[in-house]
Amino acid sequence: MPIRGAHGLIGRQVVDSEGVELGYVASEDDRFLTIAEGPLGKLRLGRRFIASAGDRIVLRGASRDLFAGLNVVDNLGEFVGVVRDTMETEDVLDSLLVEDEGGEMLSVLLEDIRAIDEWIDLELSAEQVYEKQEG
Protein backbone atom coordinates (compact mmCIF):
# COMPACT_ATOMS: atom_id res chain seq x y z
CA MET A 1 0.00 0.00 0.00
CA PRO A 2 1.43 3.42 -0.92
CA ILE A 3 2.71 5.62 1.89
CA ARG A 4 1.13 9.00 2.62
CA GLY A 5 3.01 12.04 3.80
CA ALA A 6 6.69 12.56 3.08
CA HIS A 7 6.55 10.25 0.08
CA GLY A 8 3.33 11.89 -1.16
CA LEU A 9 1.73 10.59 -4.32
CA ILE A 10 0.42 13.92 -5.62
CA GLY A 11 1.35 14.53 -9.24
CA ARG A 12 2.18 10.91 -10.04
CA GLN A 13 0.67 9.21 -13.06
CA VAL A 14 -1.83 6.40 -12.37
CA VAL A 15 -1.76 3.46 -14.79
CA ASP A 16 -3.14 -0.06 -14.84
CA SER A 17 -0.88 -3.11 -15.15
CA GLU A 18 -0.98 -2.80 -18.96
CA GLY A 19 0.08 0.85 -18.96
CA VAL A 20 -3.37 2.32 -19.64
CA GLU A 21 -3.48 5.73 -17.95
CA LEU A 22 -6.27 6.84 -15.62
CA GLY A 23 -4.81 10.29 -14.88
CA TYR A 24 -2.64 11.94 -12.22
CA VAL A 25 -2.99 12.04 -8.44
CA ALA A 26 -4.49 15.39 -7.40
CA SER A 27 -4.92 14.56 -3.70
CA GLU A 28 -4.92 11.61 -1.35
CA ASP A 29 -6.43 10.44 1.92
CA ASP A 30 -6.46 7.20 3.88
CA ARG A 31 -9.05 5.53 1.65
CA PHE A 32 -8.83 7.19 -1.79
CA LEU A 33 -6.55 8.75 -4.34
CA THR A 34 -8.26 11.59 -6.15
CA ILE A 35 -7.32 11.31 -9.80
CA ALA A 36 -7.41 14.37 -12.03
CA GLU A 37 -8.33 12.90 -15.40
CA GLY A 38 -8.06 15.77 -17.81
CA PRO A 39 -9.52 19.25 -17.49
CA LEU A 40 -13.07 18.06 -16.85
CA GLY A 41 -13.13 16.24 -13.57
CA LYS A 42 -11.75 14.30 -10.70
CA LEU A 43 -12.31 10.70 -9.77
CA ARG A 44 -11.81 9.12 -6.35
CA LEU A 45 -10.12 5.73 -6.70
CA GLY A 46 -10.09 3.28 -3.80
CA ARG A 47 -6.60 2.48 -2.58
CA ARG A 48 -7.50 -1.23 -2.65
CA PHE A 49 -6.80 -1.18 -6.42
CA ILE A 50 -3.18 -0.05 -6.00
CA ALA A 51 -0.35 -2.57 -6.38
CA SER A 52 2.68 -0.27 -6.18
CA ALA A 53 3.79 3.32 -6.00
CA GLY A 54 7.08 4.31 -7.55
CA ASP A 55 7.62 6.91 -10.22
CA ARG A 56 4.01 6.17 -11.10
CA ILE A 57 1.11 4.45 -9.37
CA VAL A 58 0.37 1.00 -10.82
CA LEU A 59 -2.94 -0.78 -10.31
CA ARG A 60 -3.25 -4.46 -9.38
CA GLY A 61 -4.30 -5.51 -12.87
CA ALA A 62 -5.82 -4.35 -16.13
CA SER A 63 -8.58 -1.80 -15.56
CA ARG A 64 -11.04 -3.93 -17.55
CA ASP A 65 -10.41 -6.84 -15.18
CA LEU A 66 -10.37 -4.77 -11.97
CA PHE A 67 -13.60 -2.90 -12.71
CA ALA A 68 -15.57 -5.67 -14.49
CA GLY A 69 -18.47 -6.88 -12.39
CA LEU A 70 -18.67 -3.76 -10.21
CA ASN A 71 -22.16 -2.37 -9.70
CA VAL A 72 -22.82 1.14 -10.97
CA VAL A 73 -25.08 3.50 -9.04
CA ASP A 74 -26.26 6.97 -10.02
CA ASN A 75 -26.01 10.18 -7.97
CA LEU A 76 -29.30 9.29 -6.23
CA GLY A 77 -28.02 5.86 -5.15
CA GLU A 78 -30.14 4.00 -7.72
CA PHE A 79 -28.70 0.92 -9.45
CA VAL A 80 -27.80 1.59 -13.10
CA GLY A 81 -26.04 -1.63 -14.13
CA VAL A 82 -22.84 -3.68 -14.00
CA VAL A 83 -19.47 -2.90 -15.59
CA ARG A 84 -18.74 -5.33 -18.43
CA ASP A 85 -15.71 -3.74 -20.14
CA THR A 86 -13.62 -0.59 -20.55
CA MET A 87 -12.79 1.60 -23.52
CA GLU A 88 -9.46 3.29 -24.03
CA THR A 89 -8.38 6.06 -26.38
CA GLU A 90 -4.65 6.19 -27.13
CA ASP A 91 -3.73 4.22 -23.97
CA VAL A 92 -5.90 6.41 -21.72
CA LEU A 93 -8.98 5.00 -20.00
CA ASP A 94 -11.95 6.80 -21.55
CA SER A 95 -15.11 5.07 -20.40
CA LEU A 96 -16.74 2.02 -18.86
CA LEU A 97 -19.22 -0.17 -20.69
CA VAL A 98 -22.13 -0.86 -18.38
CA GLU A 99 -24.90 -3.40 -18.92
CA ASP A 100 -28.22 -2.21 -17.49
CA GLU A 101 -30.95 -4.45 -16.08
CA GLY A 102 -32.56 -4.75 -19.51
CA GLY A 103 -29.34 -5.92 -21.17
CA GLU A 104 -28.65 -2.58 -22.91
CA MET A 105 -25.00 -1.53 -23.05
CA LEU A 106 -24.29 2.01 -21.83
CA SER A 107 -21.06 3.96 -22.19
CA VAL A 108 -20.17 5.92 -19.06
CA LEU A 109 -17.37 8.45 -19.47
CA LEU A 110 -14.68 8.58 -16.81
CA GLU A 111 -15.49 12.27 -16.28
CA ASP A 112 -19.01 11.25 -15.18
CA ILE A 113 -17.73 8.97 -12.40
CA ARG A 114 -17.41 10.30 -8.87
CA ALA A 115 -15.71 7.28 -7.27
CA ILE A 116 -14.54 3.73 -7.92
CA ASP A 117 -14.25 1.48 -4.89
CA GLU A 118 -16.67 -1.25 -3.77
CA TRP A 119 -18.94 0.01 -6.57
CA ILE A 120 -18.92 2.78 -9.20
CA ASP A 121 -20.55 6.00 -7.98
CA LEU A 122 -21.71 8.33 -10.77
CA GLU A 123 -21.98 12.13 -10.85
CA LEU A 124 -25.12 11.75 -13.00
CA SER A 125 -28.64 10.46 -12.54
CA ALA A 126 -29.64 7.34 -14.47
CA GLU A 127 -31.83 9.57 -16.65
CA GLN A 128 -28.82 11.70 -17.58
CA VAL A 129 -26.80 8.57 -18.42
CA TYR A 130 -29.50 7.48 -20.88
CA GLU A 131 -29.75 10.99 -22.35
CA LYS A 132 -26.01 10.96 -23.06
CA GLN A 133 -26.43 7.67 -24.98
CA GLU A 134 -28.83 9.38 -27.37
CA GLY A 135 -26.73 12.52 -27.86
Side-chain angles (χ1 to χ4, degrees), residues 108-119:
V108 176
L109 296 175
L110 214 55
E111 67 193 50
D112 294 331
I113 298 172
R114 179 181 303 149
I116 301 175
D117 197 25
E118 299 294 323
W119 62 84

Side-chain angles (χ1 to χ4, degrees), residues 29-105:
D29 62 34
D30 292 335
R31 188 164 168 215
F32 292 98
L33 295 181
T34 300
I35 310 298
E37 34 84 31
L40 297 174
K42 293 185 177 175
L43 158 72
R44 292 169 36 109
L45 179 68
R47 286 183 177 259
R48 68 189 191 97
F49 293 109
I50 298 169
S52 66
D55 291 338
R56 59 189 190 166
I57 311 301
V58 180
L59 302 185
R60 289 207 244 161
S63 54
R64 72 177 164 276
D65 297 332
L66 290 174
F67 304 147
L70 290 178
N71 288 335
V72 178
V73 297
D74 71 6
N75 62 357
L76 302 173
E78 297 295 322
F79 178 76
V80 174
V82 177
V83 176
R84 295 298 181 211
D85 205 353
T86 61
M87 294 187 65
E88 298 85 25
T89 303
E90 298 178 10
D91 290 330
V92 176
L93 185 62
D94 181 59
S95 58
L96 303 178
L97 293 176
V98 177
E99 183 178 8
D100 72 6
E101 291 180 289
E104 182 178 346
M105 294 303 283

